[in-house]
Amino acid sequence: MGTEPVDVLVVGGGITGAGIARDAALRGFRTAVVDKGDFAGGTSSRSSRLVHGGLRYLEQYDFGLVRQASRERRVLLTIAPHLVHPLPFVLPAYRGARVPAWRLRCGLWLYDLLAGFHNVRLHRWLGRKATLRLEPALRDKDLTGAALYYDAQTDDARLTLATIRAAARAGALIASYAEVTGLLKPDGQVRGATVRDTLTGQACTIRALVVVNATGPWVDAVRRLEDPGVEPVLRLTKGTHVAVPRQRVGHTNALTLTSPLDGRVMFVLPWGELSYIGTTDTDEDVSPDDVRATGPDVIYLLRSANWFFPTARLSPRDVVSTWAGLRPLLRPEGGGDRHTAPSATSREHRVIESAGGLVTIAGGKLTTYRLMARDVVDRVASRLHALDGRPRAPRPPTDRLALPGGETTDVEGLVKGAMERGVRESVARYLVGTYGSEAAAVLNLVDRDRALGQPIVTGRPELWAQVVHAMEREMALRLSDVLIRRLHPFHTTSDQAVPASDAVADRMATELGWDAARRAHEVEAYVREVERSRAFAREVARVSTA
């Protein structure tokens, strides 16, 4: 990146930055993207893992956003069918609830209408008995019925990774663990950045005609590199999730619920043998680098879930894992955000261009990231046309070009193909659900070395071949990259895969040439991350003791 200038430098490797890099590279722009950590290391791996039409935004009369999100859900189901899949939701109605049944029924018809009646499936209304047959563990007191509707679920970290890899395939230059420490302004206009390799400390200068700030909750921090006195554009709110054993909750489908504690919309969602409950939505002043689940967050979510599932009796001891991220929401024009509930804050996005030419994308949501990227690259194309007169490149068909692994929708065929190579059906489905058509590439590693076909943890589906694949083809550079965002045992095992971390570090050390000190540092850093994610337990214990 430091060798010759690029047309556009994208700062931020979350889902929005990845989408911008893909769109820009497909238009033929020489594109570079950097992130100070791993790709999807921030909010983009700490979401509710939903690609949804935004049913709850109907309460805010944000019909345009619902229409956009519904269309983008269809797009992602098409271009990444292995990572984005339909999910049935049950939305129960209770007598005396904040949103009465008649209003839910009207809202769901409007939801289908705004999607042009092209939702995953049209909704159905269930009576009380039918609801309890579908979800027998659900609270039955005052239950009047429920809506059954469909949205989609995704693996947010891997969707981001697939998008950034698609950008690389289109010619973009990609670097993780590359922190922007300053902006270049040789003529008063932003013309690049100084970047520090956070793993080696080496610094370089990247020259660019246009710099795009797509750093999510860090957006205002990057804007201050250009103008220390700039007014913030973000309102940061925290979303926390907890994962618990699914059998403890006893649900079959995903559920959309209204918390009895404060009336907020929340979800209970299936994830293999786990259920995750989310999310909180509270203003947060902590640095995006330090956000985590707290004791009050966890108690709020568990108490809300216990009201709807009385036999669950969930306690903090049942929590397998937690994650928390900051939503980079738009601050209302002229301030005044403290007078609006966080959950009522707009999920719209805005492209901002500073006097010095820094292009910033603020706001938005996971589902509409492709539209956000398109709007930003349209602005970049106009800037490049004004700078050097180049013709405006046509928009690429990013709504039709499959992401890596999504080249076929025949998931069952991929599963059958993996099983024919000697893999158990459960493992085959796991690999296809993780890699799509690229599951074959993982199994090719097993053909090369049969030991790579063994599970990392006995009884679990993750294979040693995936660790090698993560380094060779998915740009994993640190132990946390593999165990948190590529394979996920950090979130799906009660011990956060700490017992396996030494062995995984050994394999990575061999592949990446780590010395003993670097290997030890990686294990220590991972254990610290685990302890940080479990800090809520100490807070709960202190409150209980008091």
Side-chain angles (χ1 to χ4, degrees):
M1 295 180 182
T3 303
E4 56 184 277
V6 297
D7 294 324
V8 54
L9 169 63
V10 181
V11 184
I15 189 65
T16 306
I20 293 167
R22 177 188 182 224
D23 192 308
L26 286 170
R27 296 196 201 197
F29 301 151
R30 181 170 167 81
T31 304
V33 57
V34 296
D35 193 288
K36 70 174 184 176
D38 186 24
F39 306 117
T43 304
S44 295
S45 61
R46 301 173 186 177
S47 74
S48 295
R49 300 172 178 170
L50 293 177
V51 172
H52 62 99
L55 176 63
R56 71 184 185 87
Y57 304 141
L58 292 178
E59 274 199 283
Q60 301 160 22
Y61 305 104
D62 203 342
F63 302 140
L65 182 59
V66 174
R67 190 163 41 242
Q68 280 185 349
S70 296
R71 181 181 184 277
E72 288 306 296
R73 180 183 57 202
R74 293 198 300 274
V75 168
L76 291 173
L77 284 165
T78 302
I79 68 174
H82 59 306
L83 294 175
V84 182
H85 54 87
L87 188 67
F89 280 74
V90 173
L91 198 171
Y94 287 89
R95 192 174 293 108
R98 178 178 65 83
V99 182
W102 69 265
R103 193 174 180 187
L104 289 179
R105 298 175 85 155
C106 291
L108 284 159
W109 278 116
L110 180 58
Y111 194 50
D112 287 342
L113 175 64
L114 289 171
F117 293 100
H118 290 297
N119 269 341
V120 177
R121 292 186 192 175
L122 296 181
H123 81 277
R124 291 191 293 127
W125 189 262
L126 308 174
R128 183 177 187 277
K129 291 182 179 179
T131 301
L132 291 174
R133 280 196 300 269
L134 193 61
E135 294 291 348
L138 196 61
R139 182 186 186 93
D140 60 355
K141 184 180 179 181
D142 294 325
L143 178 70
T144 61
L148 178 66
Y149 72 99
Y150 287 79
D151 258 320
Q153 188 176 42
T154 189
D155 183 328
D156 51 4
R158 295 201 62 84
L159 181 64
T160 303
L161 182 65
T163 306
I164 203 84
R165 290 182 62 220
R169 285 185 179 183
L173 306 174
I174 310 293
S176 58
Y177 297 100
E179 181 180 14
V180 168
T181 57
L183 297 175
L184 305 179
K185 297 176 65 177
D187 56 359
Q189 294 290 298
V190 176
R191 298 288 188 225
T194 53
V195 177
R196 182 178 68 89
D197 185 327
T198 62
L199 299 179
T200 67
Q202 182 179 354
C204 75
T205 296
I206 302 173
R207 292 169 293 159
L209 292 176
V210 182
V211 176
V212 174
N213 174 13
T215 53
W218 289 271
V219 150
D220 284 326
V222 173
R223 292 173 69 235
R224 285 193 290 270
L225 292 178
E226 180 190 11
D227 178 2
V230 69
E231 287 293 320
V233 297
L234 294 184
R235 177 184 187 178
L236 298 178
T237 71
K238 182 170 69 169
T240 299
H241 299 78
V242 298
V244 299
R246 188 171 174 180
Q247 63 180 8
R248 286 298 308 274
V249 183
H251 68 111
T252 303
N253 301 281
L255 288 107
T256 301
L257 307 169
T258 303
S259 172
L261 303 181
D262 59 3
R264 283 197 57 258
V265 173
M266 58 177 292
F267 303 101
V268 177
L269 301 156
W271 192 263
E273 296 178 351
L274 299 177
S275 299
Y276 61 98
I277 304 164
T279 174
T280 61
D281 200 350
T282 54
D283 287 303
E284 184 59 78
D285 295 326
V286 72
S287 164
D289 298 304
D290 300 323
V291 65
R292 62 175 180 82
T294 65
D297 294 336
V298 172
I299 294 297
Y300 167 84
L301 293 171
L302 296 182
R303 285 182 61 195
S304 298
N306 282 337
W307 192 91
F308 289 100
F309 294 93
T311 61
R313 296 188 177 92
L314 296 169
S315 77
R317 290 188 297 274
D318 296 308
V319 175
V320 174
S321 63
T322 68
W323 61 93
L326 294 181
R327 301 177 188 86
L329 305 180
L330 285 172
R331 183 183 293 269
E333 297 281 357
D337 52 299
R338 298 297 175 181
H339 302 293
T340 305
S343 58
T345 303
S346 173
R347 267 56 176 175
E348 297 283 355
H349 66 272
R350 188 187 309 153
V351 181
I352 304 164
E353 190 169 344
S354 72
L358 178 67
V359 177
T360 293
I361 175 69
K365 58 199 294 287
L366 172 67
T367 304
T368 56
Y369 84 90
R370 194 189 63 85
L371 295 181
M372 296 164 63
R374 186 190 68 190
D375 289 350
V376 170
V377 183
D378 283 350
R379 181 72 64 91
V380 169
S382 296
R383 284 280 306 281
L384 293 175
H385 175 74
L387 285 169
D388 56 23
R390 75 181 70 186
R392 290 185 175 89
R395 288 176 172 174
T398 56
D399 58 341
R400 299 193 300 275
L401 296 174
L403 295 178
E407 290 82 3
T408 177
T409 58
D410 184 11
V411 173
E412 289 303 316
L414 295 175
V415 171
K416 182 179 179 182
M419 292 173 64
E420 289 173 349
R421 299 180 67 171
V423 177
R424 294 196 317 273
E425 182 178 358
S426 60
V427 175
R429 291 193 178 280
Y430 161 73
L431 291 175
V432 171
T434 303
Y435 301 101
S437 59
E438 292 191 330
V442 177
L443 294 176
N444 288 343
L445 294 172
V446 178
D447 292 341
R448 192 174 77 191
D449 180 354
R450 302 307 298 180
L452 296 179
Q454 297 300 309
I456 298 171
V457 177
T458 302
R460 292 196 55 80
E462 295 91 355
L463 306 179
W464 280 106
Q466 294 177 258
V467 177
V468 177
H469 182 84
M471 291 182 285
E472 290 187 353
R473 299 186 65 168
E474 295 184 339
M475 301 175 281
L477 296 177
R478 302 198 62 182
L479 182 61
S480 58
D481 298 351
V482 172
L483 295 180
I484 299 179
R485 287 169 290 278
R486 305 300 189 280
L487 273 63
H488 305 327
F490 177 90
H491 291 129
T492 56
T493 61
S494 58
D495 57 17
Q496 274 71 60
V498 169
S501 60
D502 276 309
V504 176
D506 286 340
R507 168 65 68 171
M508 295 187 71
T510 299
E511 296 282 339
L512 299 178
W514 294 346
D515 59 20
R518 171 67 188 278
R519 180 206 165 281
H521 171 76
E522 289 295 325
V523 173
E524 291 168 4
Y526 180 73
V527 171
R528 283 197 303 272
E529 187 68 24
V530 169
E531 292 173 346
R532 188 165 165 265
S533 75
R534 303 292 301 181
F536 76 88
R538 293 191 294 272
E539 296 177 3
V540 171
R542 283 198 298 270
V543 171
S544 300
T545 302

